[in-house]
């Protein structure tokens, strides 16, 4: 691989490493010069918006693909898998349904905030770009904190677990720990998703869109079946029972609602998916303004109606004890055991589609982080590249692969799924908090900055900010049962792990930007290079000043 990589990344060297200098590769030197970029905001690595969006397949995603990218990311395992645990946390049907409505409201508020940022800075990376635009000092600090979260917690293990468990059910096999792990790791990641996006990116987009359309069809079928159940024309006895006195038994514990809200927000997560891949979007500002609200609206309508269908077809006890996939219980009660097995195939394909969509975006976020010059094993140029095809970031896919495999192989399967849902949500609430604060800061500090989309009504942003604060504090309050939903793990463990991941980014930054220069008397020198496919990369080299002076002398 090293020889292939050395041929792929052949670039000219800068004559003076002590200056920040743009270097052009042999292939890119033949291309006409790009128009000067007048955008005032640059990344910590010094890349402008134009430079940051260069390379790869270019802008090939339109409104339809972007809408399906959002829908495909939102509709994954959540709507099929989490309603039972959400009901267990809230204690009543009414409270559970209200949380799904609250999840939409919060997602709607967040969407409009992200639309304003995304249209101001139409570049791949999502929150990375927006944090860098607001918190410019200390240099690289927010970049590395976000990188720690994106790399260490950017796994898609939850989708793989659901895929594996449902495939075994469909095959009529008894699920064991290692059979689920083997399918999740080998069947989904190593042999399919990574290779699909890494070597055949255009085929990957087509499969994403096809599976998303399939998922929409599944939910529409569940919704229509739910209407039939409510009409009383099936074998379900008293389908309206759960909707009478719907709030009886509601929990009064803040921790329970916070944990359940994390799961609801996880089910809605994905409304910002296009923000992560804007380098690949045609007419990104217009496309983002259309695809975002349309995609979230489609999913919300299907989510609320699907939950109504679940509660119409099963008793509270059945739903609470349904395990990972409550949709299978729905099909079993309405259509029989054979249909339950068939649905397991559908849910597995839905989980697979979600994994494909998540990794598509995550790989590009990892690539954007590597472009900034963060020190990484094998050098950041490799991880920032579109090796080996020149069209898709296979190295970025590998970064997503590694933590996913570790989580699947190391965590106990019985607690892995709920713990993954919790731990993925908590650090993002902290990041979201600073994003919203950043919105207020930019409105105040840079009121004349061009905003193609400025429709965030202040109360919406304040409400989203208040919700983020609540979701950061409430998980530390003891739950009623004293153990939470991931026993034997402490109920607050996922919060501490999430905070620890973010603090690890602070420690990494301090070691690189503070400790290394002061202790070893060196200087960090940045320069730009251009890879063979046109991708701009910042390379940060460590120059030991004493050795440099001796060599010059």
């Amino acid at each position: 691989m090293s020889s292939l990589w050395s041929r792929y990344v052949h670039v000219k060297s800068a004559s003076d490493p002590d200056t920040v200098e743009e270097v052009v590769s042999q292939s890119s030197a033949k291309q006409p010069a790009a128009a000067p970029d007048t955008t005032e905001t640059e990344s910590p690595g010094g890349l402008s918006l134009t430079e940051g969006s260069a390379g790869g397949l270019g802008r090939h995603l339109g409104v339809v693909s972007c809408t399906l990218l959002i829908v495909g990311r939102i509709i994954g395992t959540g709507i099929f898998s989490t309603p039972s645990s959400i009901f267990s946390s809230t204690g009543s049907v009414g409270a559970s349904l209200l949380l799904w409505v609250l999840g939409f409201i919060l997602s709607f508020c967040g969407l409009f905030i992200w639309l304003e940022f995304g249209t101001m800075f139409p570049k791949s990376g999502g929150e990375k770009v927006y944090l860098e635009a607001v918190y410019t000092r200390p240099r690289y600090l927010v970049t590395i904190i976000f990188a720690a979260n994106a790399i260490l917690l950017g796994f898609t293990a939850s989708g793989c677990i659901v895929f594996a468990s449902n495939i075994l059910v469909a095959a009529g096999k008894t699920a064991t720990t290692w059979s689920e792990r083997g399918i999740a790791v080998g069947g989904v990641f190593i042999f399919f998703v990574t290779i699909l996006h890494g070597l055949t990116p255009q085929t990957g987009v087509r499969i994403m869109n096809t599976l998303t359309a399939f998922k929409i069809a599944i939910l529409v079928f569940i919704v229509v079946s739910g209407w039939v159940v409510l009409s009383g024309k099936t074998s379900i006895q008293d389908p309206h029972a759960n909707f009478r006195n719907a709030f009886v038994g509601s929990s009064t514990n803040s921790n329970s609602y916070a944990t359940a809200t994390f799961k609801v927000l996880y089910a809605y997560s994905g409304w910002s998916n296009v923000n992560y891949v804007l380098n690949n979007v045609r007419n990104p500002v217009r496309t983002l303004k259309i695809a975002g609200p349309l995609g979230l609206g489609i999913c919300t309508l299907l989510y609320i109606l699907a939950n109504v269908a679940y509660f119409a077809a099963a008793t509270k006890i059945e739903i609470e004890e349904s395990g990972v996939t409550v949709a299978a219980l729905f099909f079993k009660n309405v259509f029989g055991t054979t249909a339950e097995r068939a649905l397991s195939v559908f849910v597995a394909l839905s989980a697979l589609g979600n994994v494909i969509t998540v990794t598509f975006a995550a790989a590009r976020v990892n690539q954007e982080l590597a472009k900034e010059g963060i020190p990484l094993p094998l050098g950041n140029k490799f991880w920032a590249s579109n090796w080996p095809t020149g069209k898709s970031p296979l190295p970025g896919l590998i970064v997503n692969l590694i933590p996913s495999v570790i989580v699947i192989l190391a965590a106990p399967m019985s607690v892995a799924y709920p713990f993954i849902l919790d731990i993925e949500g908590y650090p993002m609430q902290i990041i979201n908090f600073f994003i919203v604060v950043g919105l207020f800061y930019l409105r105040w500090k840079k009121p004349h900055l061009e905003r193609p989309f400025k429709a965030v009504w202040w109360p919406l942003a304040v409400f989203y900010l208040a919700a983020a604060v609540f979701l950061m504090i409430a998980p530390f309050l003891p739950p009623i049962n004293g153990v939470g939903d991931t026993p034997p793990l402490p109920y607050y463990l996922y919060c501490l792990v999430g905070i620890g991941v973010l603090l690890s980014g602070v420690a990494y930054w301090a070691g690189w930007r503070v400790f290394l220069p002061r202790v070893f008397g060196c200087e960090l020198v940045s320069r730009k290079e251009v890879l063979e496919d046109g991708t701009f990369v910042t390379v940060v080299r460590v120059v030991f000043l004493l050795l440099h002076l001796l060599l010059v002398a």
Side-chain angles (χ1 to χ4, degrees):
M1 187 178 77
S2 59
S3 60
L4 286 173
W5 167 243
S6 63
R7 290 198 295 270
Y8 175 79
V9 76
H10 177 66
V11 293
K12 296 179 182 179
S13 299
S15 57
D16 183 4
D18 292 329
T19 61
V20 177
E21 182 176 348
E22 183 175 296
V23 186
V24 182
S25 69
Q26 293 179 352
S27 63
S28 60
K30 300 176 184 178
Q31 304 295 328
D37 192 339
T38 58
T39 306
E40 63 175 286
T41 302
E42 290 185 341
S43 67
L47 300 179
S48 66
L49 290 176
T50 299
E51 293 169 338
S53 61
L57 277 174
R59 302 190 182 278
H60 64 284
L61 300 176
V63 172
V64 174
S65 289
C66 288
T67 301
L68 292 176
L69 187 66
I70 291 172
V71 175
R73 173 62 182 89
I74 296 177
I75 302 176
T77 61
I79 189 58
F80 301 113
S81 308
T82 58
S84 58
S85 61
I86 291 168
F87 172 73
S88 298
S89 296
T90 59
S92 72
V93 173
S96 179
L97 290 175
L98 280 182
L99 268 190
W100 286 97
V101 175
L102 176 64
F104 160 69
I105 295 173
L106 288 174
S107 299
F108 176 81
C109 296
L111 172 67
F112 273 62
I113 294 170
W114 265 245
L115 281 177
E116 180 165 334
F117 272 115
T119 53
M120 279 195 295
F121 311 108
K123 175 186 173 184
S124 292
E127 292 85 5
K128 166 196 173 292
V129 179
Y130 315 146
L131 290 170
E132 291 171 346
V134 177
Y135 306 101
T136 57
R137 292 290 182 271
R139 188 181 180 193
Y140 276 107
L141 178 59
V142 294
T143 304
I144 296 182
I145 292 175
F146 182 80
N149 180 71
I151 294 173
L152 298 179
L153 299 181
F155 39 70
T156 51
S158 56
C160 295
I161 292 171
V162 174
F163 172 81
S165 62
N166 279 276
I167 282 294
L168 289 171
V169 170
K173 303 293 184 181
T174 301
T176 64
T177 298
W178 284 103
S179 64
E180 288 187 345
R181 288 173 172 172
I183 293 173
V185 173
V188 178
F189 268 110
I190 297 176
F191 295 110
F192 189 71
V193 176
T194 302
I195 294 175
L196 175 69
H197 282 317
L199 302 182
T200 58
Q202 292 173 315
T203 301
V205 172
R206 295 189 190 100
I207 292 177
M208 275 196 309
N209 291 346
T210 301
L211 287 175
T212 298
F214 176 74
K215 289 189 284 188
I216 293 174
I218 294 173
L219 281 179
V220 169
F221 182 75
I222 290 176
V223 169
V224 173
S225 300
W227 291 343
V228 176
V229 171
L230 287 171
S231 71
K233 297 180 180 180
T234 66
S235 60
I236 302 298
Q237 300 295 323
D238 195 6
H240 300 275
N242 285 335
F243 303 104
R244 300 190 193 99
N245 300 316
F247 290 92
V248 172
S250 296
S251 174
T252 58
N253 183 265
S254 298
N255 180 280
S256 298
Y257 284 103
T259 302
T261 303
F262 278 131
K263 292 180 173 64
V264 171
L265 293 178
Y266 175 81
Y268 277 111
S269 64
W271 44 263
S272 61
N273 210 31
V274 175
N275 294 65
Y276 299 128
V277 299
L278 285 176
N279 292 353
N280 300 121
V281 176
R282 293 194 300 268
N283 196 351
V285 172
R286 173 182 175 273
T287 301
L288 186 60
K289 290 192 289 186
I290 296 173
L294 181 58
L296 179 59
I298 291 171
C299 294
T300 300
L301 180 63
L302 293 173
Y303 272 20
I304 301 298
L305 295 178
N307 270 276
V308 171
Y310 294 152
F311 286 118
T315 66
K316 296 179 181 180
I317 296 177
E318 286 178 326
I319 293 173
E320 191 169 4
E321 297 177 352
S322 62
V324 175
T325 309
V326 68
L329 173 64
F330 172 84
F331 268 67
K332 176 184 177 182
N333 288 355
V334 177
F335 301 107
T337 305
T338 302
E340 178 188 15
R341 182 171 296 181
L343 179 73
S344 297
V345 178
F346 300 156
V347 174
L349 291 176
S350 179
L352 176 62
N354 184 258
V355 171
I356 293 174
T357 304
V358 171
T359 53
F360 178 82
R364 281 146 182 83
V365 173
N366 294 334
Q367 183 184 42
E368 292 302 313
L369 289 167
K371 286 180 182 179
E372 301 297 343
I374 298 173
L376 297 169
L378 302 181
N380 70 294
K381 287 195 294 184
F382 172 71
W383 302 108
S385 73
N386 290 296
W387 179 86
T389 63
K391 297 179 180 180
S392 182
L394 178 61
L397 290 162
I398 295 173
V399 172
N400 179 257
L401 165 68
I402 294 172
S404 300
V405 171
I406 292 174
V407 168
I408 291 171
L409 295 181
M413 298 299 286
S414 59
V415 299
Y417 186 77
F419 186 75
I420 288 170
L421 296 187
D422 294 339
I423 198 175
E424 284 180 324
Y426 190 80
M428 281 308 301
Q429 291 305 320
I430 299 176
I431 291 172
N432 291 346
F433 171 82
F434 285 100
I435 292 287
V436 183
V437 171
L439 178 76
F440 294 141
Y441 175 80
L442 286 182
R443 288 279 190 92
W444 167 64
K445 196 71 174 179
K446 299 182 179 180
H448 302 298
L449 190 66
E450 183 179 359
R451 291 173 172 84
F453 182 91
K454 187 180 179 181
V456 178
W457 189 40
W458 285 108
L460 294 181
V462 172
F463 176 67
Y464 192 81
L465 183 67
V469 172
F470 169 76
L471 292 173
M472 287 190 294
I473 297 174
F476 287 100
L477 303 177
I480 293 177
N481 62 5
V483 295
D485 63 348
T486 57
L489 303 178
Y491 66 88
Y492 51 81
L493 180 62
Y494 71 90
C495 304
L496 298 181
V497 173
I499 293 172
V501 168
L502 298 180
L503 291 178
S504 71
V506 177
Y508 194 89
W509 172 84
W512 178 43
R513 304 293 298 185
V514 179
F515 181 81
L516 185 63
R518 290 183 180 179
V519 173
F520 294 97
C522 59
E523 183 179 353
L524 302 177
V525 180
S526 303
R527 66 176 184 181
K528 299 177 187 177
E529 295 186 4
V530 187
L531 306 183
E532 290 264 339
D533 68 338
T535 300
F536 281 75
V537 182
T538 296
V539 178
V540 180
R541 302 191 184 280
V542 179
V543 177
F544 291 92
L545 298 180
L546 180 60
L547 179 61
H548 180 71
L549 292 174
L550 291 175
L551 291 175
V552 172

